[in-house]
Amino acid sequence: MASFCCKVVALAAFFSLFVTYGSCARPVMNLNATDFTADPNWEAARATWYGATTGAGPDDDGGACGFKNVNLPPFSAMTSCGNEPLFKDGKGCGSCYQIRCVNHPACSGNPETVIITDMNYYPVAKYHFDLSGTAFGAMAKPGRNDELRHAGIIDIQFKRVPCNYPGQKVTFHVEQGSNPVYFAVLVEFEDGDGDVVQVDLMEANSGSWTPMRESWGSIWRLDSNHRLQAPFSLRITNESGKTLVANKVIPANWVPNTYYRSIIQY
């Protein structure tokens, strides 16, 4: 199955929705959908898949969210591109959803949990999950994964659920290119909402918080007019408005392209 999110595809079918879509670029459909919020009931959506049949969509990264190594635990390739009501201009990155399919003979009907790690620019429905091959196949009955993947676009049901990363703490990855006057950080592995809507930074001995700007996806940046003084404390806020503070989580001798694990978790 070709990608609706990251490569050009052409699907021949009887329905007008089966048309040619392109790679990650400007959207071509305006569905006028509002942002989705947590709901205990199942919602209707459509699903496609892309990448390797048992892969993570993108080989090892989170595409438009910036996550690393999504083929490995705790993501374990159970990932999805989401269209704008799910991706939320990057603020939906890391959100967790249960999905299930019931209308195809190969569907198991059992719920599976996926994480939003990329943007789907070419939706075919109000809510469109462009799943990794692994996640799409996980909705199938035992031994019928390939049969389900060959179905192409399918109807599914979904609902927002809390994220749960057993044994993990909130983790910060200092992005390549960070320097004494520019600091960019990726935030990962938040339980609960799973997403981050604001990050603030406190320099050493400053006593005050400086808001960071969303750079893209789950990466936040601070462009400074002076040399930043580490160690840095980081304060994160999730979609529910809950805040956590990781005191001095970025050490004085920090280096780019490095993970720093906190002791905090929602």
Side-chain angles (χ1 to χ4, degrees), residues 172 174 183 185 230-234 246-252 254 260:
F172 302 94
V174 177
F183 184 76
V185 64
F232 304 140
S233 297
L234 294 173
N247 286 308
K248 299 180 180 178
V249 66
I250 308 299
W254 65 269
Y260 295 98

Side-chain angles (χ1 to χ4, degrees), residues 78-93:
M78 292 295 289
T79 59
S80 181
C81 299
N83 64 317
E84 184 52 29
L86 304 169
F87 183 76
K88 302 178 183 177
D89 197 27
K91 290 182 173 63
C93 289

Side-chain angles (χ1 to χ4, degrees), residues 14-35:
F14 295 105
F15 302 102
S16 61
L17 287 174
F18 284 51
V19 295
T20 301
Y21 298 91
S23 61
C24 295
R26 295 183 63 84
V28 295
M29 294 180 68
N30 179 9
L31 299 169
N32 297 315
T34 57
D35 285 353

Side-chain angles (χ1 to χ4, degrees), residues 183-261:
F183 184 76
V185 64
L186 167 72
V187 188
E188 290 186 306
F189 310 145
E190 309 90 55
D191 282 352
D193 288 356
D195 51 25
V196 172
V197 299
Q198 181 58 49
V199 179
D200 306 300
L201 181 146
M202 182 186 290
E203 297 180 63
N205 303 317
S206 73
S208 62
W209 292 101
T210 301
M212 301 183 73
R213 294 189 299 114
E214 185 182 15
S215 183
W216 57 277
S218 197
I219 296 173
W220 294 77
R221 64 183 287 171
L222 178 60
D223 298 279
S224 178
N225 60 6
H226 64 274
R227 293 179 66 88
L228 296 166
Q229 301 298 311
F232 304 140
S233 297
L234 294 173
R235 181 174 65 187
I236 62 173
T237 305
N238 67 11
E239 188 176 5
S240 297
K242 298 177 181 178
T243 62
L244 288 177
V245 174
N247 286 308
K248 299 180 180 178
V249 66
I250 308 299
N253 61 345
W254 65 269
V255 293
N257 198 28
T258 304
Y259 283 101
Y260 295 98
R261 303 187 189 280

Side-chain angles (χ1 to χ4, degrees), residues 50-265:
Y50 72 111
T53 55
T54 56
D59 291 338
D60 62 357
D61 66 77
C65 286
F67 297 133
K68 324 298 187 201
N69 304 312
V70 296
N71 55 318
L72 302 176
F75 294 104
S76 301
M78 292 295 289
T79 59
S80 181
C81 299
N83 64 317
E84 184 52 29
L86 304 169
F87 183 76
K88 302 178 183 177
D89 197 27
K91 290 182 173 63
C93 289
S95 301
C96 297
Y97 293 89
Q98 280 191 343
I99 58 171
R100 66 183 182 187
C101 68
V102 294
N103 293 334
H104 187 279
C107 290
S108 71
N110 298 325
E112 300 289 342
T113 301
V114 296
I115 304 168
I116 299 297
T117 58
D118 205 348
M119 172 66 180
N120 176 3
Y121 293 96
Y122 302 102
V124 298
K126 180 179 179 181
Y127 300 113
H128 178 183
F129 290 80
D130 195 14
L131 300 160
S132 67
T134 298
F136 197 98
M139 294 187 292
K141 295 175 181 176
R144 302 182 71 174
N145 313 72
D146 286 336
E147 179 184 350
L148 184 61
R149 280 189 284 261
H150 283 130
I153 301 175
I154 64 170
D155 294 320
I156 65 168
Q157 298 172 328
F158 78 103
K159 63 180 176 180
R160 180 85 175 265
V161 295
C163 297
N164 183 26
Y165 297 103
Q168 291 280 355
K169 301 298 184 182
V170 176
T171 299
F172 302 94
H173 181 268
V174 177
E175 294 296 290
Q176 192 69 38
S178 294
N179 58 61
V181 294
Y182 166 80
F183 184 76
V185 64
L186 167 72
V187 188
E188 290 186 306
F189 310 145
E190 309 90 55
D191 282 352
D193 288 356
D195 51 25
V196 172
V197 299
Q198 181 58 49
V199 179
D200 306 300
L201 181 146
M202 182 186 290
E203 297 180 63
N205 303 317
S206 73
S208 62
W209 292 101
T210 301
M212 301 183 73
R213 294 189 299 114
E214 185 182 15
S215 183
W216 57 277
S218 197
I219 296 173
W220 294 77
R221 64 183 287 171
L222 178 60
D223 298 279
S224 178
N225 60 6
H226 64 274
R227 293 179 66 88
L228 296 166
Q229 301 298 311
F232 304 140
S233 297
L234 294 173
R235 181 174 65 187
I236 62 173
T237 305
N238 67 11
E239 188 176 5
S240 297
K242 298 177 181 178
T243 62
L244 288 177
V245 174
N247 286 308
K248 299 180 180 178
V249 66
I250 308 299
N253 61 345
W254 65 269
V255 293
N257 198 28
T258 304
Y259 283 101
Y260 295 98
R261 303 187 189 280
S262 75
I263 59 171
I264 62 171
Q265 187 54 277

